[in-house]
């Protein structure tokens, strides 16, 4: 049963009164594929700097459904050993609530030669088809059957066959899935037009450290030599910092803080966002593993236009926080969301708060600013828009209520405690 907690937020009415330091957690989108990769190992391994977020509970449910357990050792440290897996079915409830459950399909099918999973659910940002996955498994010699909302996939003789796959879209989780499928396939797998997000680079480095043979890291073409189960041999995976948390906090700091230090992050994963905010007039100090926003000399930011694009282009996951920023910037801007057809649906809520946003189609919106926002009741449809509404509520005058906080908890651990510490008046009301 999904919790229906709420946030009650008192708006700052454009006063930049937050201040202090906020630490960035480990990246959700790095932990998910590395945890799924445990299915490819003959031994267990430890993962550190794991964010305490709702998606961790979904991971736990998926592993329990497979007959194994993710063991929490310390805060942020987990141990996983999948040698005793006794099922090839991905748990339905968890899969319905987390699209990324699909990353388990490659490792399970590669190791056991069969797989059962439901059509995954998750963030409501578009249709989110899975054709790249089903076509890829068929190209690797598997047979796909579908009935009653579940997929039944089987290989002929228990093994996937290495092959060449050209992704018609550089999908992040499809890239991760077929990298892992190729590791236990017979022969070589060549993947073309792959995604190159930092979380994928980190996954490949981890897998190669543990015996995989993956060539081409960071380029659009990967070559994976099929082999046997991997071995961690007591190596530990250290989760990379979450560039989406860091970017979200940077935008929050620019709009609501006199000064804000964003620690334990990797600015090199956020170059385009930092550059565009700096060009807009935000005073950002870029350190090796921190960012500092300084708003001592208050001035209006200049509007700018964005077009979301696969990494290293402008991240679709920071589109909604950036739109909130643009409602407060001087001038008119165009936002072109090229990745998901449903990821601008939330703008009607910002208009309800007083923003001047015009939708041209499901991919394009123009924003005129600055416009004063006033608090109201908001429901976040996905993780990142949920946080964008927190930023909008803090920018606005008066009180806002944000429902469906479950989505925010999926990607931002203990967020109300972390924001309270830098001066935000935000309370969680448990349902
Ligand atoms: C990953 O989702 C991220 N999730 C998303 O972050 C992120 O928004 C997205 O990549 C884009 O950067 C994780 O890494 C766990 P895609 P993913 O497949 O892999 C289409 C967050 O908030 N497509 O790269 O599911 C798809 O519809 C989440 O942390 C197909 O057409 O996204 C989309 O238009 C939200 N067929 C485009 O590709 C397929 O089989 C890119 O999606 C698969 C995808």
């Amino acid at each position: 049963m999904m919790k229906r907690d709420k946030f009650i937020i008192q708006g700052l009415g454009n006063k930049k009164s937050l201040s202090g330091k906020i630490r960035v957690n480990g990246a959700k989108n790095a932990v998910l594929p590395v945890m799924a990769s445990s299915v490819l190992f003959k031994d267990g391994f430890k993962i550190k700097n794991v964010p305490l977020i709702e998606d961790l509970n979904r991971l736990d449910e998926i592993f329990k459904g497979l007959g194994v357990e993710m063991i929490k050792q310390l805060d942020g440290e987990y141990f996983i050993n999948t040698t005793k897996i006794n099922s090839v079915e991905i748990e339905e409830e968890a899969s319905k609530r987390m699209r990324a459950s699909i990353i388990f399909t490659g490792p399970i099918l590669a190791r056991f030669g069969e797989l059962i999973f439901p059509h995954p659910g998750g963030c409501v940002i578009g249709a989110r088809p899975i054709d790249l996955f089903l076509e890829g498994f068929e190209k690797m010699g598997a047979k796909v059957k579908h009935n009653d909302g579940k997929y039944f996939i089987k290989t002929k003789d228990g093994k996937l066959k290495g092959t060449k796959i050209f992704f018609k879209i550089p999908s992040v989780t499809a890239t991760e899935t077929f990298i892992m499928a190729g590791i236990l396939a017979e022969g070589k797998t060549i993947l073309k037009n792959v995604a190159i997000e930092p979380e994928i680079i980190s996954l490949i480095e981890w897998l190669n450290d543990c015996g995989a043979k993956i060539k081409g890291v960071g380029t659009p073409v990967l070559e994976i030599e099929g082999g046997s189960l991997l071995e961690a041999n007591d190596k530990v995976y250290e989760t990379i910092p979450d560039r989406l948390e860091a970017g979200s906090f940077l935008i929050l700091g620019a709009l609501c803080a006199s000064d804000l230090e964003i620690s334990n992050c990797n600015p090199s994963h956020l170059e385009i966002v930092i550059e565009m905010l700096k060009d807009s007039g935000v005073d950002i100090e870029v350190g090796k593993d921190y960012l500092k926003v300084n708003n001592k000399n208050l001035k209006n930011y200049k509007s700018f236009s964005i077009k979301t694009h696969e990494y290293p282009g402008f991240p679709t996951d920071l589109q909604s926080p950036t739109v909130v920023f643009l409602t407060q910037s001087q001038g008119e801007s165009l936002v072109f969301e090229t990745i998901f057809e449903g990821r601008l649906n939330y703008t009607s809520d910002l208009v309800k708060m007083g923003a001047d946003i015009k939708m041209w189609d499901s991919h394009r919106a123009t924003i005129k600013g600055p416009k004063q926002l006033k608090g109201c009741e908001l429901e976040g449809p996905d993780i990142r828009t949920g946080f964008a509404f927190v930023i909008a509520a803090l920018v606005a005058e008066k009180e806002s209520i944000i429902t469906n906080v479950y989505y925010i908890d999926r990607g931002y651990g203990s967020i109300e405690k972390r924001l309270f510490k830098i001066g935000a008046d935000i309370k969680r009301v448990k349902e």
Side-chain angles (χ1 to χ4, degrees), residues 329-340:
S329 307
Q330 185 73 43
E332 182 170 68
S333 50
L334 168 70
V335 169
F336 181 9
E337 168 55 60
T338 69
I339 309 283
F340 291 106

Side-chain angles (χ1 to χ4, degrees), residues 28-29 128-132 171-173 317 339 343 384:
K28 164 178 86 75
N29 294 348
R128 304 194 82 180
I130 61 168
D131 52 316
L132 297 181
S171 155
V172 172
T173 45
D317 290 339
I339 309 283
R343 212 167 196 178
R384 309 301 166 186

Side-chain angles (χ1 to χ4, degrees), residues 21-39:
K21 184 169 170 177
I22 188 165
R23 183 189 183 280
V24 170
N25 287 337
K28 164 178 86 75
N29 294 348
V31 164
L32 295 168
V34 168
M35 284 280 195
S37 79
S38 62
V39 174

Side-chain angles (χ1 to χ4, degrees), residues 28-30 32-33 55 98-103 123 125-135 168-176 195 197 199-200 242-244 309-311 315-318 337-341 343 363 382-385 410-412:
K28 164 178 86 75
N29 294 348
L32 295 168
D55 276 7
M98 184 175 76
R99 159 82 189 196
S101 56
I102 201 161
I103 301 175
C123 286
I125 49 181
R128 304 194 82 180
I130 61 168
D131 52 316
L132 297 181
F133 297 84
L134 304 178
E135 287 162 14
K168 54 181 187 295
I169 296 174
S171 155
V172 172
T173 45
T175 299
E176 292 162 344
E197 268 67 0
E199 296 78 21
I200 295 174
D242 192 324
R243 60 192 167 94
L244 303 170
H309 189 279
E310 293 82 5
Y311 192 86
T316 173
D317 290 339
L318 291 177
E337 168 55 60
T338 69
I339 309 283
F340 291 106
E341 74 283 6
R343 212 167 196 178
H363 288 274
D382 70 73
I383 298 170
R384 309 301 166 186
T385 303
R410 281 194 51 204
Y412 297 87

Side-chain angles (χ1 to χ4, degrees), residues 35 37-47 63 66-71 73 78-86 111 232:
M35 284 280 195
S37 79
S38 62
V39 174
L40 301 169
F41 282 68
K42 66 171 68 164
D43 57 355
F45 59 79
K46 194 191 283 188
I47 299 191
F63 278 124
L66 294 173
V68 291
E69 203 178 339
M70 205 169 82
I71 300 162
Q73 298 191 315
Y78 287 79
F79 182 80
I80 179 71
N81 183 328
T82 64
T83 34
K84 295 197 172 47
I85 280 189
N86 58 24
R111 179 165 155 192

Side-chain angles (χ1 to χ4, degrees), residues 238-289:
E238 178 79 33
T239 310
I240 60 171
D242 192 324
R243 60 192 167 94
L244 303 170
E245 270 211 343
S248 303
F249 298 155
L250 189 60
I251 292 167
L252 172 71
L255 289 176
C256 301
S258 58
D259 60 278
L260 181 67
E261 179 176 347
I262 297 153
S263 65
N264 191 52
C265 67
N266 184 338
S268 72
H269 292 163
L270 267 178
E271 284 183 276
I272 190 162
V273 177
I274 294 168
E275 287 316 305
M276 296 184 91
L277 289 173
K278 275 184 166 177
D279 291 352
S280 167
V282 185
D283 177 350
I284 304 172
E285 179 191 334
V286 180
K288 189 171 147 317
D289 60 354

